[in-house]
RNA sequence: CGGGGCGUAGCGCAGUCUGGCUAGCGCACCUGCCUUGGGAGCAGGGGGUCGGAGGUUCAAAUCCUCUCGCCCCGACCA
């Protein structure tokens, strides 16, 4: 491709509303263009990069035995009502009516559609297993899109769905996808980590996320320094204590203190001169299984997914002011376990606590010297808080958890029969018995992979594309386009590289060399061949490697082979 | 949805508080000269009606009301 005719308009300055490097650089490198909040066009250079990522994904998916399909972006409400998610999915599902008043939605994911296809087409165990995937535009009406295509509303996703006759088969399918994902992200040159994850509204019972490690990531990962355990914050467990008995309390009674207007943990600490660790936070939750009080140490945070499990409920949210007053007899900020008659679930972290400060269930009063074992009847002790740095590993002995940030680029789920049961996707087994198909689903955020790669591979001069996803692995840069010798040699190298299968750019713009160098750096081309009169006199050109910055002088006759050897991975 | 910030040319910004000449600067773009190994220089030029609507005023980018959009923090959500 000739830069003189390419639709590429780079920017010198950072656009104002870009925060993270990948967003800034994708805009500056003329890869994307915003149309509305969370909705982007891909310009030629960005699309080319996207296609490279897709190519890697396709190759590995096909190699793993999956077959490509393409499903509609617009989906009728009908299938969503069948699966039961029409009423569950919430505002992220963008709904609308067609001219006849029929209800439709823009697909945020395709479990319903694929399940309806497979249930019509598959009737026998002989048709299974099967794995179908697509690469397609999804729409999720995110409450707050941000960071460019990292978290956009419209985005490109590869989603695959596996169908098996039994759990053993489903396990194999899951495993095959897990391995394919490891190959995909490795080939893209990413530093990543698979972690155990919560399943969220997609459902199912087991899942892993693939996280690209980056300080700007929105997800927090906890991983053990000693063994291979790693999990998303929402899922991360904490080592189970040896005993679930509360610490024995001495004789005595809590002492009431006047704490006017003091509500938050910080305020209480400041007012009473204690630390957050000395406090017990009492959070009142409304659930489909009644009201519960969650007790955690003042410096810990409740993990709602864990609390749901412990409380045995499906839905759960922090109680509103009125509910709190009704059950604690005090406004928000003064709840405590002593004398509280609702179900109380205490966190492991409180097992060896004593002499705590808690709310008094009375406006403007707290209690000092509270011992859970003595003063409050706790119904259950469980793991209900977020893990944090320094916590003990749940899988090995002696390991501690560290926290790092990551960008979720892939997610694999075991769905079981959630959808096949709801939507009647079944098959006849060898014995002629009708059984539900066991499903799995596997997503990769294609556009997010691109953003994550740039997040991981950039420097002060711009993008540093890894070769496998570089839109163009090589750029030929003639220092002067008016020098016929220089231009002729540049053209020759450019043509030869292209004819030998290397996507190559040539900067044939009538611009000063400095401008060309800056642009080549900005757009992140891995190898730059500089052709100038100086070098030609010695019979050489210069090849600069973007990632290391090293420059080598290569004889004219060898430069094509030199590049081929570096670019064909 | 709550809090904060911002909409002036393709991009980055000044001007707004304290209304008043033809709305300005840098980058990008066009023409010419000159220059050609890390964002050159000179000269000339095109492009905006100040997010939108209404109002106040002799006069509105500037003041008032409404409205739309964008960004950040949070809540929410994968």
């Amino acid at each position: 491709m000739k830069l003189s005719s390419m639709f590429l308009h780079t920017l010198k300055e950072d656009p104002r509303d870009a925060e993270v490097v990948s967003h800034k650089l994708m805009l500056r490198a003329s890869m994307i263009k915003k149309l509305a909040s969370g909705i982007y066009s891909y310009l030629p250079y960005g699309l080319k990069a996207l296609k490279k990522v897709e190519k890697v994904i396709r190759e590995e998916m096909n190699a793993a035995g999956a077959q490509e399909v393409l499903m509609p972006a617009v989906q009728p409400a009908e299938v969503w009502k069948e699966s039961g998610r029409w009423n569950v999915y919430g505002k992220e599902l963008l709904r609308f009516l067609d001219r006849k008043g029929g209800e439709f939605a823009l697909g945020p994911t395709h479990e319903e559609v694929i399940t309806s296809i497979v249930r019509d087409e598959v009737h026998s165990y002989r048709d299974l297993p099967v794995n179908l995937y697509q690469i397609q535009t999804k729409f999720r009406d995110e409450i707050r899109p941000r960071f460019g295509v990292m978290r956009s509303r419209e985005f490109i996703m590869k989603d695959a769905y596996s169908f098996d006759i039994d759990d053993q088969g489903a396990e194999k399918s899951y495993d095959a996808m897990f391995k394919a994902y490891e190959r995909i992200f490795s080939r893209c040159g990413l530093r990543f980590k698979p972690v155990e994850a919560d399943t969220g509204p997609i459902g199912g019972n087991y899942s892993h996320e693939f996280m690209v490690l980056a300080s700007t990531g929105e997800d927090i990962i906890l991983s053990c320094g000693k063994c291979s355990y790693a999990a998303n914050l929402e899922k991360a467990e904490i080592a189970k204590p040896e005993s679930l008995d509360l610490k024995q309390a001495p004789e005595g009674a809590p002492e009431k203190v006047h704490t006017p207007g003091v509500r938050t943990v910080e305020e209480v600490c400041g007012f009473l001169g204690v630390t957050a660790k000395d406090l017990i936070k009492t959070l009142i939750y409304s659930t489909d299984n009644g009201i519960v009080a969650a007790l955690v140490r003042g410096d810990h945070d409740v993990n709602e997914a864990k609390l749901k499990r412990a409380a045995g409920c499906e839905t759960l949210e922090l109680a509103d002011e009125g509910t709190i007053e009704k059950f604690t007899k005090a406004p928000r900020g003064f709840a405590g376990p002593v004398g509280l008659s609702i179900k109380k679930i205490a966190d492991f972290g409180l097992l060896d606590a004593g002499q705590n400060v808690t709310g008094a269930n009375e406006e403007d009063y707290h209690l000092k010297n509270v011992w859970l074992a003595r003063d409050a009847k706790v119904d259950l002790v469980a793991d209900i808080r977020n893990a944090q740095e320094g916590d003990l590993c749940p899988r090995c002995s002696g390991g501690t958890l560290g926290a790092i940030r990551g960008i979720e680029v892939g997610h694999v789920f075991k769905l079981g029969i959630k959808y096949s049961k709801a939507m009647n996707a079944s098959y006849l087994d060898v014995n002629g018995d009708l059984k539900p198909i066991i499903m799995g689903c596997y997503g990769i955020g294609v556009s997010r992979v691109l953003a994550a790669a740039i997040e991981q591979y950039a420097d002060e001069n711009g993008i540093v594309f890894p070769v496998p996803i570089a839109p163009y692995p090589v750029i030929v840069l003639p220092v002067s386009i008016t020098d016929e010798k220089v231009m002729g040699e540049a053209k020759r190298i450019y043509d030869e590289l292209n004819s030998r299968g290397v996507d190559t750019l040539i900067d044939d713009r009538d611009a000063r060399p400095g401008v060309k160098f800056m642009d080549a750096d900005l757009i992140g081309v891995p190898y730059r061949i500089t052709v100038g009169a100086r070098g030609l006199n010695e019979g050489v050109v210069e090849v600069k490697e973007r990632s290391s910055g090293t420059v080598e002088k290569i004889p004219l006759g060898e430069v094509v082979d030199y590049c081929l050897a570096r670019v064909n991975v």
Side-chain angles (χ1 to χ4, degrees):
Chain A
M1 184 79 216
K2 294 177 177 173
L3 271 189
S4 62
S5 51
M6 184 164 167
F7 191 89
L8 182 85
H9 305 99
T10 55
L11 298 172
K12 276 189 198 172
E13 290 170 289
D14 286 335
R16 196 172 54 144
D17 46 62
E19 277 274 299
V20 296
V21 273
S22 59
H23 189 197
K24 286 180 186 170
L25 290 175
M26 287 178 86
L27 289 167
R28 284 188 56 203
S30 193
M31 297 176 74
I32 56 171
K33 179 98 183 161
K34 184 170 73 181
L35 180 63
S37 179
I39 299 177
Y40 289 84
S41 300
Y42 283 86
L43 304 183
Y45 193 65
L47 183 61
K48 186 95 179 171
L50 201 63
K51 294 286 178 196
K52 294 269 169 156
V53 176
E54 288 184 4
K55 181 168 180 275
V56 171
I57 293 174
R58 280 203 173 86
E59 285 173 6
E60 293 299 338
M61 290 305 291
N62 294 341
Q67 299 171 59
E68 188 167 1
V69 295
L70 183 59
M71 291 181 268
V74 172
Q75 306 178 10
E78 199 186 339
V79 290
W80 285 78
K81 287 178 177 168
E82 260 191 82
S83 72
R85 287 207 291 182
W86 185 254
N87 294 319
V88 184
Y89 212 92
K91 288 192 208 139
E92 245 180 68
L93 184 64
L94 184 64
R95 301 154 212 245
F96 55 94
L97 303 177
D98 70 3
R99 66 200 299 164
K100 287 183 266 182
E103 294 177 298
F104 286 85
L106 280 181
T109 173
H110 282 69
E111 282 81 12
E112 281 79 3
V113 180
I114 196 75
T115 307
S116 86
I117 292 171
V118 169
R119 89 167 147 208
D120 289 352
E121 303 292 326
V122 170
H123 308 285
S124 157
Y125 71 94
R126 293 174 201 272
D127 298 324
L128 298 171
V130 68
N131 185 323
L132 300 171
Y133 79 97
Q134 66 173 345
I135 293 179
Q136 203 242 24
T137 297
K138 305 270 194 252
F139 194 93
R140 295 182 185 171
D141 200 357
E142 292 276 350
I143 219 160
R144 187 141 93 82
R146 62 184 127 178
F147 304 158
V149 298
M150 191 93 90
R151 187 177 195 79
S152 52
R153 295 192 292 171
E154 183 172 307
F155 60 102
I156 298 175
M157 182 169 173
K158 186 286 303 176
D159 46 326
Y161 305 88
S162 67
F163 301 85
D164 282 277
I165 57 170
D166 55 21
D167 288 332
Q168 206 186 344
E171 181 80 32
K172 267 175 75 178
S173 296
Y174 186 90
D175 205 47
M177 284 296 109
F178 192 99
K179 293 202 169 85
Y181 275 31
E182 288 185 311
R183 282 195 298 272
I184 289 166
F185 298 126
S186 299
R187 277 186 59 186
C188 288
L190 297 167
R191 293 192 306 276
F192 67 97
K193 196 173 185 75
V195 308
E196 293 182 15
D198 196 49
T199 52
I202 304 287
N205 38 33
Y206 187 69
S207 86
H208 283 90
E209 286 170 342
F210 285 78
M211 295 286 191
V212 166
L213 309 179
S215 58
T216 49
E218 293 186 271
D219 291 280
I220 293 173
I221 305 160
L222 289 140
S223 68
C224 179
K226 198 173 152 192
C227 72
S228 64
Y229 180 76
N232 189 309
L233 174 68
E234 283 169 26
K235 174 82 177 176
E237 300 157 38
I238 292 162
K240 207 173 167 165
E242 283 162 26
S243 154
L244 289 185
D245 295 330
L246 290 161
K247 191 172 178 180
Q248 274 309 106
E251 289 288 311
E255 175 193 338
K256 200 151 114 180
V257 285
H258 189 49
T259 53
V262 177
R263 289 161 195 271
T264 65
V265 170
E266 296 78 55
E267 286 166 1
V268 175
C269 289
F271 192 84
L272 294 176
V274 293
T275 65
K277 286 184 181 177
D278 301 321
L279 265 58
I280 297 176
K281 257 196 298 205
T282 306
L283 297 158
I284 312 296
Y285 280 90
S286 301
T287 80
D288 56 330
N289 197 11
I291 303 286
V292 300
L295 309 179
V296 295
R297 216 167 71 184
D299 59 330
H300 287 157
D301 294 315
V302 170
N303 177 313
E304 296 188 356
K306 289 179 179 179
L307 183 59
K308 260 186 209 174
R309 252 169 270 142
C313 62
E314 285 283 312
T315 63
L316 164 155
E317 59 178 1
L318 272 172
D320 57 45
E321 200 80 31
T323 312
I324 292 174
E325 286 218 39
K326 185 175 162 203
F327 287 93
T328 71
K329 310 286 184 277
R332 186 196 302 268
F334 299 100
V338 181
L340 193 61
S341 54
I342 58 182
K343 184 173 183 182
K344 291 181 281 294
I345 303 175
D347 182 64
F348 286 167
L350 294 171
L351 284 171
D352 58 356
Q355 235 185 323
N356 296 283
V357 172
T358 75
N361 298 322
E362 184 180 339
E363 184 163 9
D364 292 344
Y365 284 96
H366 278 78
L367 296 177
K368 274 167 48 176
N369 194 28
V370 171
W371 293 72
L372 281 180
R374 183 189 69 197
D375 305 318
K377 186 182 149 284
V378 172
D379 297 274
L380 179 67
V381 180
D383 177 12
I384 58 165
R385 71 168 168 100
N386 281 338
Q388 56 191 35
E389 205 144 17
D391 281 330
L392 291 176
C393 174
R395 294 297 144 79
C396 68
S397 63
T400 55
L401 300 178
I404 42 173
R405 289 188 160 268
I407 301 163
E408 177 192 351
V409 289
H411 203 158
V412 293
F413 298 81
K414 283 186 190 169
L415 293 175
I417 56 169
K418 178 179 159 112
Y419 295 93
S420 48
K421 204 173 157 203
M423 299 183 65
N424 245 323
S426 49
Y427 70 96
L428 286 174
D429 72 6
V430 235
N431 305 314
D433 291 334
L434 196 62
K435 299 216 169 130
I437 300 174
I438 316 290
M439 292 173 57
C441 80
Y442 317 92
I444 292 180
V446 182
S447 31
R448 192 181 274 184
V449 167
L450 184 56
I454 293 170
E455 203 62 40
Q456 216 167 54
Y457 293 102
D459 63 19
E460 63 281 4
N461 295 316
I463 302 170
V464 187
F465 270 118
V467 171
I469 59 170
Y472 298 87
V474 180
I475 184 168
V476 179
L477 194 154
V479 169
S480 163
I481 65 161
T482 48
D483 184 324
E484 279 177 29
K485 249 181 87 183
V486 166
M487 226 15 221
E489 202 53 47
K491 277 283 289 173
R492 203 210 89 233
I493 296 167
Y494 165 73
D495 286 335
E496 193 173 339
L497 279 166
N498 271 310
S499 69
R500 291 177 68 176
V502 180
D503 277 327
T504 304
L505 287 171
I506 183 165
D507 196 344
D508 58 339
R509 296 176 298 176
D510 185 14
R512 298 175 61 82
V515 173
K516 299 187 184 186
F517 291 142
M518 296 307 270
D519 272 346
D521 284 349
L522 172 65
I523 68 175
V525 185
Y527 291 95
R528 184 187 82 200
I529 303 171
T530 308
V531 184
R534 243 158 47 186
L536 289 189
N537 287 336
E538 302 170 40
V540 300
V541 291
E542 278 173 19
V543 179
K544 182 180 172 187
E545 188 175 60
R546 178 72 176 86
S547 57
S548 62
T550 55
V551 179
E552 285 198 68
K553 289 187 176 176
I554 308 294
L556 280 172
E558 295 169 24
V559 66
V560 170
D561 286 329
Y562 178 93
C563 288
L564 277 166
R566 261 140 256 261
V567 153
N568 282 337
V569 278

